[in-house]
């Protein structure tokens, strides 16, 4: 009992922190959530009266209203989190670290004097390199890192992207979904072996500051973006 009780305040605190962060960027979030809950519950309750089962419909309506509010809140919190990360050094690394299980992320494996940077992630999809910074400068930095990685793991796919909102760049809000859609070509043990081989390259830039905002770890990108 004690362990369960001690866990609850942490979870509630995390939800409260996320809500507070979301409300700062989206002041209408409370009204939107209340509206969603009322509409869903009202529709189900009205349907219950029509079919002659208002109690059961009310219970179902309450559960579905709560679920709908949770989904809407998650998406608006995600949008607010990306808004806070946008333009900050290490923003792409912060998103990478929230992709999910099975991804080993090494931030800032390469950097130039202008603080353009390349991050690396290894998973069953192979090696992923994410560049962020000035697109004209980071292209060369990313290409050099890809050549270096390919010499060590020549038998593994190496994917590269530039994080940003310009033409040919990958927006932060689409980064996680894009990575999760990459084809899985490696087994778990092979991915671990690849990561171990890449450790030989080192990560001398690992002290790059990574944003610490409340980015939800299990966030889902809405389909169709």
């Amino acid at each position: 009992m004690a362990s369960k009780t001690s866990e609850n305040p942490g979870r509630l605190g995390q939800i409260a922190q996320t809500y507070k962060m979301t409300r700062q960027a989206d002041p209408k979030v409370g009204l939107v959530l209340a509206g969603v809950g009322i509409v869903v519950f009202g529709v189900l309750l009205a349907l219950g009266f029509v079919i002659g089962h208002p109690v059961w419909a009310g219970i179902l309506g309450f559960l579905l209203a709560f679920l709908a509010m949770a989904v809407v809140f998650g998406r608006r919190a995600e949008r607010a989190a990306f808004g806070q990360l946008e333009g900050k050094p290490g923003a792409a690394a912060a998103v990478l670290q929230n992709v999910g299980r099975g991804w080993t992320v090494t931030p800032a494996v390469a950097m130039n004097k202008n603080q353009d940077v390349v991050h690396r992630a290894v998973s069953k999809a192979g090696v992923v390199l994410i560049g962020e910074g000035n697109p004209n400068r980071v292209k060369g930095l990313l290409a050099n890192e890809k050549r270096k990685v390919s010499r060590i793991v020549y038998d593994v796919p190496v994917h590269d992207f530039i994080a940003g909102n310009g033409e040919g760049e990958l927006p932060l809000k689409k980064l996680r979904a894009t990575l999760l859609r990459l084809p899985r070509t490696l087994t778990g043990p092979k991915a671990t072996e690849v990561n171990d081989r890449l450790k030989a390259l080192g990560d001398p830039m690992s002290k790059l500051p990574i944003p610490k905002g409340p980015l939800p770890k299990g966030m889902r990108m809405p389909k169709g973006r």
Side-chain angles (χ1 to χ4, degrees), residues 7-215:
E7 287 178 5
N8 289 334
R11 293 174 182 174
L12 293 175
Q14 186 177 25
I15 293 173
Q17 181 185 12
T18 303
Y19 179 79
K20 182 178 179 181
M21 178 271 296
T22 304
R23 190 174 60 181
Q24 290 175 347
D26 185 2
K28 295 182 179 180
V29 64
L31 292 175
V32 172
L33 294 179
V36 169
I38 291 172
V39 169
V40 173
F41 178 76
V43 169
L44 267 294
L45 185 61
L47 182 61
F49 278 106
V50 171
I51 64 177
H53 296 284
V55 175
W56 291 110
I59 294 173
L60 178 61
F62 177 79
L63 295 175
L64 290 180
F66 182 81
L67 178 61
M69 291 170 66
V71 171
V72 171
F73 174 63
R75 291 188 176 182
R76 294 182 88 96
E78 175 187 300
R79 189 185 308 166
F82 281 128
Q84 287 193 345
L85 287 173
E86 199 76 47
K88 291 185 178 180
V95 177
L96 277 175
Q97 290 171 337
N98 285 271
V99 171
R101 295 180 60 185
W103 288 78
T104 303
V105 178
T106 307
V109 293
M111 182 189 294
N112 59 26
K113 62 181 181 180
N114 296 300
Q115 295 190 346
D116 303 308
V117 66
V118 174
H119 311 294
R120 185 180 71 228
V122 180
S123 74
K124 292 181 180 180
V127 181
V128 175
L129 300 174
I130 306 291
E132 60 176 329
N134 181 286
N136 294 323
R137 293 192 303 258
V138 82
K139 284 180 182 178
L141 190 67
L142 190 59
N144 289 337
E145 188 63 24
K146 186 173 183 178
R147 283 194 295 269
K148 189 189 303 182
V149 168
S150 298
R151 285 198 296 267
I152 295 178
V153 290
Y154 53 87
D155 54 341
V156 172
V158 180
H159 311 275
D160 61 292
F161 305 93
I162 297 178
N165 297 310
E167 185 177 354
E169 298 172 2
L170 183 61
L172 284 180
K173 64 182 180 180
K174 294 184 178 181
L175 176 55
R176 181 175 183 271
T178 299
L179 298 186
L180 291 177
R181 286 197 296 266
L182 292 175
R184 272 41 179 172
T185 57
L186 307 181
T187 63
K190 179 64 175 179
T192 301
E193 177 195 334
V194 168
N195 189 62
D196 289 342
R197 285 158 63 185
L198 288 175
K199 284 181 180 179
L201 290 175
D203 54 336
M205 312 298 182
S206 61
K207 293 185 179 180
L208 178 77
I210 304 301
K212 300 296 183 180
L215 187 67

